[in-house]
Amino acid sequence: MRAILTWHSLDESGSPISVAPAQFCRQLDWISEAGLQVVSVTELLSLPDEAQAVALTFDDGIANFATEAAPALRARAWPVSLFVVTDRVGTDNQWGGQTRGIPVLPLLGWEALAALAASGVSMENHSRTHARLDELSEGDAAAEIDGAASALRTRLNRAPEGIAYPYGAFGARTLAAARREHHWGVTTEFRALQTGDDRHALPRLDARYFTRRAHFDGWGSRRSRAWIWARRAARAARATLMPRRRGVVVPRGPA
């Protein structure tokens, strides 16, 4: 089974976007002990469905990525993709529209991002302002996507390969803009990869649900897939019961 795992913040708050640092390290141990390949998103897309492999991603560019995630991943020589909200670099994650209970967290500055990029972290597009791209006009959606890609090229001297749509929200205009400059894109749809997936609308598994070693043991087995689909159904049911209200987004996850 191939899957893209995603995290946001490594902190002790217990928020909807948070995983405790010690739990993150246990998750890395479980991935290793399960014998899973850890590869880049691009390489993951080239592998067959029966490959036992994951790609690791982090959304938002939160400052604790540098202190908690990067050293642990560097010690294992594992690749990781970090999605950057370019107009918010060096500030915080108060962009509005996030799920209730999200803590205010500092974001990495350009100097720190450049150092991480030099160490091998893949810097990817998470839009300019973390806007819901599916609610924007064609021109505004393109400006969010193209502007962020341009900032990453200018400030880090490298073009992004991928894009993560804020809140997992995208539409036809979003996909058209993403396809112009990016090789792939990721959503918050909770499932593993499947042959035939649109490379610019890939699903991901939110790692905060992977709380036990058993979630990695038997990776790709019938039991493993059943647990993923049950969790997916629970998320969908919760989203249906908690419709989006003005200023509060609860539809596809907090990405």
Side-chain angles (χ1 to χ4, degrees):
M1 182 172 74
R2 300 173 300 149
I4 303 170
L5 297 173
T6 189
W7 293 261
H8 290 76
S9 176
L10 300 183
D11 65 69
E12 302 286 353
S13 71
S15 84
I17 66 165
S18 303
V19 170
Q23 175 71 357
F24 173 70
C25 290
R26 284 192 291 270
Q27 289 173 326
L28 299 188
D29 288 340
W30 295 335
I31 289 169
S32 180
E33 291 162 6
L36 304 184
Q37 285 183 267
V38 179
V39 298
S40 68
V41 175
T42 298
E43 185 175 353
L44 190 70
L45 293 174
S46 71
L47 296 177
D49 273 350
E50 60 270 21
Q52 301 289 75
V54 294
L56 313 181
T57 68
F58 275 77
D59 285 9
D60 300 341
I62 293 169
N64 57 45
F65 174 85
T67 56
E68 304 292 347
L73 293 169
R74 193 178 304 121
R76 296 177 181 270
W78 282 357
V80 62
S81 295
L82 182 65
F83 295 99
V84 179
V85 184
T86 57
D87 280 14
R88 301 293 301 175
V89 167
T91 62
D92 59 42
N93 63 335
Q94 294 189 89
W95 36 64
Q98 58 261 63
T99 308
R100 285 177 175 171
I102 302 296
V104 176
L105 296 164
L107 304 180
L108 293 161
W110 285 114
E111 185 176 343
L113 290 170
L116 288 166
S119 75
V121 176
S122 296
M123 297 294 169
E124 310 296 0
N125 191 335
H126 203 26
S127 82
R128 289 178 53 218
T129 67
H130 208 279
R132 284 185 59 92
L133 301 176
D134 62 333
E135 295 183 348
L136 302 182
S137 69
E138 182 175 2
D140 287 345
E144 281 280 341
I145 293 170
D146 297 343
S150 177
L152 290 168
R153 286 196 305 272
T154 300
R155 300 301 297 261
L156 301 179
N157 197 31
R158 63 191 70 199
E161 290 191 353
I163 180 171
Y165 310 114
Y167 312 109
F170 66 96
R173 292 191 297 266
T174 310
L175 289 176
R179 292 187 206 281
R180 283 198 296 270
E181 292 202 56
H182 303 82
H183 299 297
W184 48 265
V186 293
T187 70
T188 57
E189 183 182 2
F190 193 89
R191 64 173 175 84
L193 297 185
Q194 298 173 351
T195 298
D197 280 338
D198 186 333
R199 290 176 65 94
H200 290 85
L202 300 170
R204 288 190 290 176
L205 299 176
D206 190 332
R208 69 191 175 100
Y209 295 112
F210 288 74
T211 57
R212 297 183 293 124
R213 176 174 175 166
H215 293 145
F216 293 98
D217 289 342
W219 183 261
S221 66
R222 181 177 298 180
R223 177 177 59 84
S224 171
R225 292 178 182 273
W227 178 81
I228 289 171
W229 281 102
R231 174 56 63 182
R232 171 187 169 92
R235 281 164 55 100
R238 185 168 63 253
T240 300
L241 292 172
M242 300 176 65
R244 183 163 61 88
R245 300 176 294 280
R246 184 173 182 81
V248 180
V249 176
V250 204
R252 301 182 179 91

